[in-house]
Amino acid sequence: MTLFLSIIGGTLLFQFLFVWWNLRQFPRLAHVDRKISKPSLSILIPARDEADRIEECLLSIVNQTMLPSEILVLNDNSSDETAYIVKELAKRYPIITLLEGKPLEKGWLGKSYACHQLALAAKSNWYLFLDADVRLERNAMEAISVLTKQEKGMISGFPKQQVDSWLEKIVVPMMMFLVACHLPVKLVRASSDPRFAAAHGGFILIEQKVYNQIGGHSAIRSTLIDDIELARLVKKHGFTFTLAQISEYVSMKMYQNAAEVWSGYRKNIFQGVNRNFFLLFLVFGYYSLLYLVPPIFVVIGIMSESALIYPGIIFMMAGAAIKAIIDRANRLPWYYGFLIPLSICMVIVIGLDSVRIAWSKKGYLWKGRSYT
């Protein structure tokens, strides 16, 4: 038992120190306190059934003190009022252009095909792909303009997540948790190895010439995790990819309710480990050891009145501290850290459901489309 406790304690200590170091490796969007020139930038927004979100997204862009060269919104065969809302906004803001998406071609996945059509229509030196639930905060365009002048290749980052429902608070922050715990951020930019890559499809800034040279979304047309694959493709072609801290200037609400959280994560978890059963269960075992075994120690200690309660409490606090510093770095409440055992449980359950869907070959349902 002493050896077992030492392994858990030592691993938690290492994980805490790694996360503390890793979070400091993220490049940050610069604060701009001087006048800078307007970038050659096209903002490209694929929109499918986004009537509840698209207006707020577009207003957050047109109300910036600096504007892009153009804003293109592609209506991806929506069944709601998405196209009408964009048309009405375009009358007030001529910088907005509505494009009607073509029917989905065979061999393509929906979002990639929408982004492909947007890129064909764009006219600027830089493309900024945004999801319709993204909001640009004050002075975001100035910070993005600095990026286009100082950086090359492709830049992505994780927006600040707006979470309301119980499952959002428990599960959504886990995507930043995974990156901070396991991906050496310094190597994302410094290494040409495509395994050191992570991206968020809600914010992808890429040079037009780089996008065209790597084949754009056409090269990843059938890939479900398109954002990470695009980043890997950039690195494979020898271009620079940067994973930046953007949460100060970019926010989003990825899911509207608990059901959407479940569907979204179920679609991505198994795909995120390249459909590798061994790797998935290895990760689940690792997280169970660090974050689920300590609460079990506490329960056993209480029930048996043994000293096992003390290492259990210490390990639980260490796990909460790891989660808390990651949440604070991403502008979420620090006390979400105490939810880490519940978060791990829910990720495991959704992950097993993700495997079940893959085995059944029924396909993952998302926004009215089935992805197999």
Side-chain angles (χ1 to χ4, degrees):
M1 179 60 74
T2 301
L3 177 60
F4 187 52
L5 293 174
S6 298
I7 290 173
I8 297 177
T11 306
L12 281 167
L13 177 60
F14 172 79
Q15 188 73 89
F16 179 86
L17 293 174
F18 176 79
V19 166
W20 182 85
W21 170 81
N22 206 30
L23 290 172
R24 283 155 179 75
Q25 308 308 309
F26 278 96
R28 296 179 178 274
L29 272 64
H31 289 275
V32 180
D33 54 7
R34 55 186 172 81
K35 189 172 183 179
I36 56 176
S37 58
K38 177 180 174 180
S40 175
L41 175 72
S42 296
I43 292 185
L44 310 177
I45 305 173
R48 178 176 172 82
D49 294 337
E50 301 286 2
D52 294 335
R53 294 173 281 270
I54 191 65
E55 181 172 7
E56 191 175 346
C57 173
L58 291 172
L59 289 177
S60 79
I61 300 170
V62 297
N63 289 330
Q64 294 284 314
T65 52
M66 173 185 287
L67 295 178
S69 304
E70 59 181 354
I71 304 170
L72 305 183
V73 182
L74 185 124
N75 175 37
D76 185 14
N77 301 283
S78 298
S79 59
D80 61 9
E81 298 297 311
T82 297
Y84 173 77
I85 293 170
V86 176
K87 282 180 183 178
E88 291 302 304
L89 284 171
K91 292 176 183 178
R92 293 159 51 192
Y93 305 101
I95 194 174
I96 299 173
T97 299
L98 174 67
L99 306 175
E100 286 296 339
K102 299 176 182 178
L104 186 62
E105 290 188 2
K106 185 178 180 180
W108 283 85
L109 294 186
K111 185 178 179 182
S112 290
Y113 190 49
C115 290
H116 171 70
Q117 294 175 73
L118 284 163
L120 290 176
K123 302 180 178 68
S124 303
N125 295 333
W126 283 83
Y127 300 159
L128 176 57
F129 292 97
L130 296 180
D131 282 352
D133 47 12
V134 164
R135 311 289 179 259
L136 296 186
E137 306 299 331
R138 183 179 179 184
N139 297 326
M141 277 301 303
E142 284 83 354
I144 292 169
S145 179
V146 172
L147 279 180
T148 65
K149 293 171 172 56
Q150 294 181 348
E151 301 290 340
K152 299 292 182 182
M154 173 177 161
I155 303 100
S156 187
F158 290 83
K160 175 186 175 183
Q161 297 297 320
Q162 298 177 8
V163 290
D164 297 316
S165 70
W166 66 274
L167 197 58
E168 287 175 85
K169 293 174 182 178
I170 292 170
V171 174
V172 171
M174 291 301 290
M175 61 182 172
M176 292 84 80
F177 179 83
L178 290 170
V179 170
C181 284
H182 302 293
L183 179 66
V185 173
K186 197 175 186 69
L187 294 182
V188 171
R189 183 179 176 90
S191 171
S192 60
D193 191 331
R195 290 176 297 180
F196 296 112
H200 194 293
F203 183 98
I204 291 179
L205 179 64
I206 187 168
E207 281 186 284
Q208 177 264 346
K209 62 181 181 181
V210 171
Y211 182 85
N212 289 335
Q213 287 185 48
I214 67 174
H217 282 86
S218 180
I220 55 169
R221 65 181 65 189
S222 61
T223 303
L224 191 57
I225 312 294
D226 55 285
D227 43 12
I228 296 177
E229 286 305 314
L230 192 66
R232 289 173 176 165
L233 198 60
V234 166
K235 298 189 74 170
K236 285 178 182 177
H237 282 76
F239 297 108
T240 301
F241 171 67
T242 302
L243 184 64
Q245 174 57 267
I246 64 170
S247 59
E248 181 177 355
Y249 291 105
V250 187
S251 64
M252 72 184 305
K253 182 172 174 58
M254 291 180 65
Y255 306 108
Q256 300 304 304
N257 50 54
E260 284 192 5
V261 175
W262 190 284
S263 297
Y265 272 75
R266 182 176 62 184
K267 173 174 66 75
N268 293 329
I269 287 179
F270 192 41
Q271 298 294 327
V273 294
N274 294 319
R275 300 172 65 86
N276 186 320
F277 294 101
F278 175 76
L279 179 57
L280 182 68
F281 289 111
L282 183 65
V283 170
F284 284 170
Y286 175 80
Y287 282 137
S288 297
L289 177 67
L290 295 188
Y291 303 106
L292 299 186
V293 170
I296 294 174
F297 283 167
V298 172
V299 173
I300 293 174
I302 293 173
M303 294 180 65
S304 63
E305 298 183 353
S306 71
L308 200 58
I309 187 175
Y310 301 114
I313 291 174
I314 292 171
F315 295 161
M316 284 185 66
M317 294 303 293
I322 292 169
K323 178 69 159 49
I325 62 173
I326 296 172
D327 286 341
R328 284 306 301 140
N330 290 281
R331 298 178 175 268
L332 290 170
W334 62 270
Y335 51 83
Y336 284 7
F338 292 104
L339 299 174
I340 185 64
L342 190 54
S343 297
I344 296 298
C345 285
M346 291 308 304
V347 168
I348 289 175
V349 172
I350 297 173
L352 293 176
D353 196 27
S354 182
V355 172
R356 179 188 66 82
I357 294 294
W359 269 346
S360 69
K361 298 183 180 180
K362 292 180 180 178
Y364 302 101
L365 294 176
W366 186 247
K367 292 193 176 182
R369 286 174 173 153
S370 178
Y371 299 92
T372 57

